Amino acid sequence: MASSRAPCWVALLLFVALVATANGSELSAGYYEKTCPNVQHVVRSVMASRVAAQPRMAPAVLRLFFHDCFINGCDASVLLDATPSSPGEKDAEPNASLTGYTVIHDIKSALEHDCPATVSCADVIALASRDAVALLGGPTWSVPLGRKDSRFAADPESTKKGLPSPKDDLGELVTMFAELNLDARDMTALSGAHTVGMASCDTYRDRVYGPNGDIDPFFAQTTRQTCQGTSGKAPFDVQTPMRFDNAYYRNLIARRGLLTSDQTLYGGGGLQDNLVEMYSADGEAFARDFAKAMVKMGNIPPPKGMPVEVRLRCSMANY
């Protein structure tokens, strides 16, 4: 009788061990030093393999991290599938084009083999986004670890309101970033993530087709052609679309920002223009500030009282 009941107790103890409440505990680069010392090697190895096979997965994973942290903190809620009782953040309009989920799944599966029920999905995204930047030729940095995964996702409407829009102006962006304790310098550096990857035509159609004096005419003309192409997408940076460099800022000065929310960072004068000009001229300064801002953004915790855990599968809460 006792032996037949043991699995239930084991499951209960595991559940209790994994579930907690968000309390803003301190993160540490050495969080898994004893419990999963190989975590960084596993993440880096899977990322290198997947990006070698599909280079577009690097900017895709980086974008996942941004979309996760902006909604209820860096808690991997963006990875949760919808359930009959809870729609997922994946269902929100701005997240419809997100990819890279399978990369995170592969990393988590490898870690569950090596260190079962130990490494959170939120930490996987944080590490994978750092390695994505490095694989694209950008900087690397020490990632504070110890995040937990939320058990619930935000609803699609709240998710849409909480993410920057490609049509946002500078004031709207400053306000949105400030609500996350990210200042104008953080915002300008983090926006440099748009030095890699692509955007779909619906996000820049108004900018390249409409009457707009804040766009290079030749850039507008050539970019319109992408809306008529088979992919319906354009790279943020035509010259080096898969190299993490400071070309993004040179494009802004040349009035070749792809999105309205890109170009709005330059042209208004003052400190904001000074930042863009500095990053355009000094790639090392951009790399340093980007790394610092990524750590700062990655430290955004879930709301106090949010039930959190270490998910066994990133797409669903435990039990």
Side-chain angles (χ1 to χ4, degrees):
M1 178 71 71
S3 62
S4 66
R5 293 173 61 88
C8 296
W9 284 107
V10 170
L12 177 59
L13 289 171
L14 179 62
F15 179 77
V16 171
L18 293 178
V19 178
T21 302
N23 57 13
S25 57
E26 290 295 319
L27 305 180
S28 165
Y31 186 82
Y32 297 109
E33 199 170 88
K34 295 182 179 179
T35 56
C36 193
N38 212 29
V39 57
Q40 306 230 17
H41 173 73
V42 171
V43 175
R44 193 176 300 115
S45 295
V46 176
M47 279 296 296
S49 175
R50 289 299 307 269
V51 171
Q54 291 181 292
R56 64 186 178 86
M57 286 297 103
V61 166
L62 179 58
R63 188 172 177 231
L64 271 180
F65 188 53
F66 275 79
H67 283 235
D68 183 45
C69 292
F70 264 73
I71 306 301
N72 287 341
C74 308
D75 61 353
S77 56
V78 73
L79 304 179
L80 287 169
D81 288 338
T83 68
S85 60
S86 176
E89 293 172 25
K90 293 179 181 179
D91 299 325
E93 181 185 339
N95 288 343
S97 59
L98 287 178
T99 57
Y101 298 110
T102 58
V103 180
I104 303 302
H105 172 80
D106 288 353
I107 296 171
K108 177 64 171 173
S109 296
L111 288 170
E112 284 301 307
H113 178 271
D114 288 4
C115 317
T118 301
V119 182
S120 69
C121 300
D123 278 344
V124 169
I125 304 177
L127 287 168
S129 63
R130 185 270 311 271
D131 292 344
V133 171
L135 287 165
L136 292 167
T140 189
W141 56 90
S142 178
V143 178
L145 301 169
R147 298 167 189 79
K148 295 296 185 287
D149 306 321
S150 67
R151 288 183 53 78
F152 305 103
D155 65 85
E157 188 59 31
S158 298
T159 301
K160 182 178 180 179
K161 290 180 180 178
L163 289 170
S165 163
K167 299 180 182 179
D168 280 348
D169 61 29
L170 182 60
E172 291 168 323
L173 290 175
V174 168
T175 298
M176 183 168 287
F177 277 74
E179 289 173 351
L180 300 174
N181 198 33
L182 299 169
D183 60 27
R185 192 181 189 108
D186 299 323
M187 176 194 71
T188 308
L190 290 170
S191 296
H194 279 181
T195 196
V196 294
M198 305 184 77
S200 58
C201 177
D202 61 301
T203 62
Y204 58 82
R205 182 187 299 275
D206 290 350
R207 174 161 165 75
V208 298
Y209 276 97
N212 190 342
D214 195 26
I215 189 169
D216 173 72
F218 179 75
F219 174 74
Q221 180 183 356
T222 55
T223 306
R224 288 185 204 120
Q225 298 172 12
T226 63
C227 290
Q228 301 159 12
T230 54
S231 72
K233 295 181 178 181
F236 284 103
D237 173 34
V238 177
Q239 299 299 320
T240 57
M242 293 299 289
R243 185 189 306 160
F244 198 93
D245 55 21
N246 61 339
Y248 172 80
Y249 301 100
R250 293 196 294 271
N251 289 335
L252 297 186
I253 293 172
R255 296 185 299 142
R256 294 179 179 176
L258 184 60
L259 309 180
T260 298
S261 58
D262 291 323
Q263 193 59 55
T264 194
L265 298 182
Y266 188 76
L271 174 62
Q272 187 59 48
D273 278 12
N274 292 342
L275 283 171
V276 171
E277 290 167 0
M278 178 181 70
Y279 293 151
S280 73
D282 189 344
E284 291 186 2
F286 162 55
R288 285 194 303 270
D289 281 1
F290 181 82
K292 291 178 183 177
M294 284 288 282
V295 171
K296 190 173 177 181
M297 182 178 73
N299 288 344
I300 301 172
K304 288 186 177 180
M306 169 76 76
V308 293
E309 62 189 2
V310 173
R311 277 183 230 142
L312 303 180
R313 291 185 60 186
C314 292
S315 59
M316 59 185 293
N318 299 334
Y319 307 105

